């Protein structure tokens, strides 16, 4: 498809991206694709059948090029789900024994939607379908989905959905909760010092005293991350001024995605290092390249080659970013109070999986509603995420409790929207036709569509 100076191969266009949108004079046929967003034709109201016929013919041409291939950037967790701790529901649990959802979802599709249903319902989305992608409702839903992804999550396109989903399912907020839980188990005096330093680091006056800020940051990191956190900070973060902060900032930005992958190895990083070096050279010249090489050598020695240091480095980067948020101290201290009250062992890596994984499912749904991910691709991306959720909990009730706990921890327990999510969970629990009451928790999650 060619329009002006832009061209778009047919095999990159989804049928759902061809929209018929009513207006005051009739109906417009538009292509709404991230790379080519244009009105193709306009039909008066009397020519509605002709407009539908033109769209149908274009869809027929597009479907000759299907199936679309999935993005290689997304590699979801694989393997069969392990047995849940307890089961709910009646019957055999086999998909063939269950009726389809009102929106014509298969039982497994309904289960997948149910796993992310609290987030969906709280945001006003149905829980009996993947999402509207055609007709006037589809156009409205697409605009809402794009706005939520771009403004709420900073996600401009489909590949960025993949990246955010991977971040949620590999790390999410679960690791943050774990480090705050570590602080909750310190002595009362150490917890009080943590609170003082946290507030001091957000005090504008400290910004004018770099040495005092550095000492306060070191104290905070020692309390939160222990001795290895200080080692990573001293080995890399404090080295930046000697190297040139601008060079390090550009290099770290270029390496951010690869370094966030906990499974990455040195060989896989090589092309990313080469790209980062090229970017630094283009921006800072030969002197910048020399600084980059020195920083890379130090980073490799002090972080990549030290067991556990790369994961800690990523967490430190997240934490430093959080410290720039003026709301963070209140949220963090609220988390600390919740965890102190809950006692040791309240946070495990899997306990609050539902909070991160439920949002990952909704991001994929929004990606579909935005026109960036085709329906079958969306289901196949969500299926392994749903299996992980099923393996971590014993019932819909257990999952819902963990989700709400996770959201409360994320907000520090003082968010005005928490009751909205609690109400959404209560509504799902009371809905006789909804997925939580219609589908057994131990339904075998195998593709049935």
């Amino acid at each position: 498809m060619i329009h002006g100076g832009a061209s778009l191969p047919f095999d990159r266009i989804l049928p759902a991206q061809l929209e018929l949108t009513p207006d005051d004079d009739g109906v417009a046929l538009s292509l709404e694709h991230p790379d080519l967003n244009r009105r193709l034709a306009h039909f008066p109201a009397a020519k509605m059948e002709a407009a539908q016929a033109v769209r149908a013919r274009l869809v027929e041409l597009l479907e000759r090029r299907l199936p679309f291939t999935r993005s290689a950037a997304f590699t979801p967790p694989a393997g069969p789900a392990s047995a849940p701790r307890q089961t709910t529901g009646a019957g055999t649990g086999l998909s063939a024994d269950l009726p389809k959802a009102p929106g014509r979802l298969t039982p497994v599709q309904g289960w997948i939607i149910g796993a992310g249903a609290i987030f969906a319902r709280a945001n006003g989305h149905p829980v009996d379908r993947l999402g509207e992608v055609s007709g006037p409702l589809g156009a409205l839903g697409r605009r809402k989905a794009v706005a939520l992804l771009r403004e709420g999550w900073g996600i401009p396109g489909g590949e960025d959905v993949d990246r955010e989903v991977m971040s949620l399912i590999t790390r999410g907020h679960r690791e943050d909760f774990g480090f705050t839980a570590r602080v909750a188990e310190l002595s009362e005096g150490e917890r009080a010092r943590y609170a003082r330093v946290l507030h001091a680091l957000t005090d504008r006056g400290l910004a004018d005293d770099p040495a005092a800020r550095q000492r306060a940051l070191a104290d905070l990191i020692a309390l939160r991350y222990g001795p290895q956190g200080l080692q990573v900070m001293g080995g890399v973060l404090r080295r930046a001024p000697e190297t040139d902060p601008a060079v390090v900032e550009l290099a770290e930005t270029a390496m951010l995605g690869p370094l966030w992958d906990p499974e990455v190895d040195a060989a896989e990083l090589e092309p990313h290092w080469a790209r980062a070096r090229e970017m630094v050279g283009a921006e800072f010249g030969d002197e910048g390249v020399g600084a980059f090489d020195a920083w890379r050598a130090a980073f490799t020695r002090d972080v990549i080659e030290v067991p556990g240091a790369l994961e800690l480095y990523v967490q430190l980067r997240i934490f430093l970013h959080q410290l720039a948020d003026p709301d963070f101290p209140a949220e963090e201290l609220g988390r600390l109070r919740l965890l102190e009250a809950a006692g040791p062992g309240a946070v495990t890596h899997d306990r609050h999986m539902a909070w991160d994984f439920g949002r990952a499912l909704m991001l994929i749904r929004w990606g579909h509603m935005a026109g960036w991910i085709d329906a079958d691709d969306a289901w196949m991306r969500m299926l392994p995420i749903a299996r992980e959720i099923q393996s971590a909990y014993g019932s819909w009730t257990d999952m819902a409790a963990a989700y709400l706990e996770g959201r409360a921890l994320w907000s520090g327990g003082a968010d005005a929207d928490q009751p909205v999510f609690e109400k959404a969970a209560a509504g799902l629990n009371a809905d006789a036709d909804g997925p939580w009451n219609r589908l057994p928790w131990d339904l075998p999650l195998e593709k049935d569509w």
Side-chain angles (χ1 to χ4, degrees), residues 187-262:
S187 69
E188 184 178 352
E190 288 172 318
R191 295 198 305 271
R193 191 166 92 242
Y194 183 83
R196 287 196 304 271
V197 176
L198 191 61
H199 281 300
L201 281 168
T202 58
D203 184 346
R204 297 178 65 87
L206 200 59
D208 299 328
D209 189 344
R213 179 176 175 81
Q214 194 78 353
R215 288 193 298 272
L217 183 60
D219 195 18
L220 194 69
I221 287 174
L223 289 167
R224 183 177 174 85
Y225 299 101
Q228 191 176 30
L230 276 179
Q231 178 185 354
V232 172
M233 175 189 170
V236 177
L237 301 183
R238 253 195 330 225
R239 191 186 304 275
E242 303 168 17
T243 307
D244 183 344
V247 170
V248 173
E249 182 178 356
L250 179 57
E252 288 182 328
T253 300
M255 294 297 295
L256 189 60
L259 291 175
W260 276 42
D261 181 356

Side-chain angles (χ1 to χ4, degrees), residues 24 42 64 83 88 103 133 135 142 155 175 239 243 246 257 305-306 337 346 366 387 397 432 448:
D24 293 339
H42 187 272
R64 291 181 183 179
T88 61
V133 294
R142 182 169 54 256
I155 296 175
E175 292 190 357
R239 191 186 304 275
T243 307
E305 293 179 351
V306 177
R337 286 190 293 272
W366 280 334
R387 287 173 178 160
T397 302
D448 64 351

Side-chain angles (χ1 to χ4, degrees), residues 105-248:
L105 295 182
T106 68
V108 172
Q109 287 174 333
W111 202 103
I112 292 170
I113 295 295
I118 298 177
F119 196 36
R121 188 158 180 153
N123 281 276
H125 296 294
V127 293
D128 62 353
R129 69 203 71 176
L130 181 58
E132 304 288 354
V133 294
S134 61
L137 289 177
L140 290 172
R142 182 169 54 256
R143 285 193 288 272
K144 180 179 179 181
V146 169
L148 285 165
L149 289 168
R150 289 180 176 168
E151 297 168 17
W153 290 77
I155 296 175
E159 289 187 1
D160 300 281
V161 172
D162 292 345
R163 195 155 35 244
E164 190 65 36
V165 166
M166 181 59 71
S167 174
L168 286 170
I169 64 179
T170 54
R171 288 188 174 88
H173 288 110
R174 304 185 302 287
E175 292 190 357
D176 267 354
F177 298 163
F179 286 115
T180 306
R182 181 184 184 279
V183 177
E185 296 178 9
L186 297 175
S187 69
E188 184 178 352
E190 288 172 318
R191 295 198 305 271
R193 191 166 92 242
Y194 183 83
R196 287 196 304 271
V197 176
L198 191 61
H199 281 300
L201 281 168
T202 58
D203 184 346
R204 297 178 65 87
L206 200 59
D208 299 328
D209 189 344
R213 179 176 175 81
Q214 194 78 353
R215 288 193 298 272
L217 183 60
D219 195 18
L220 194 69
I221 287 174
L223 289 167
R224 183 177 174 85
Y225 299 101
Q228 191 176 30
L230 276 179
Q231 178 185 354
V232 172
M233 175 189 170
V236 177
L237 301 183
R238 253 195 330 225
R239 191 186 304 275
E242 303 168 17
T243 307
D244 183 344
V247 170
V248 173

Side-chain angles (χ1 to χ4, degrees), residues 201-202 213 318-329:
L201 281 168
T202 58
R213 179 176 175 81
I318 295 170
F319 189 58
L320 292 173
H321 176 74
Q322 290 171 328
L323 288 174
D325 181 355
D327 295 330
F328 180 72

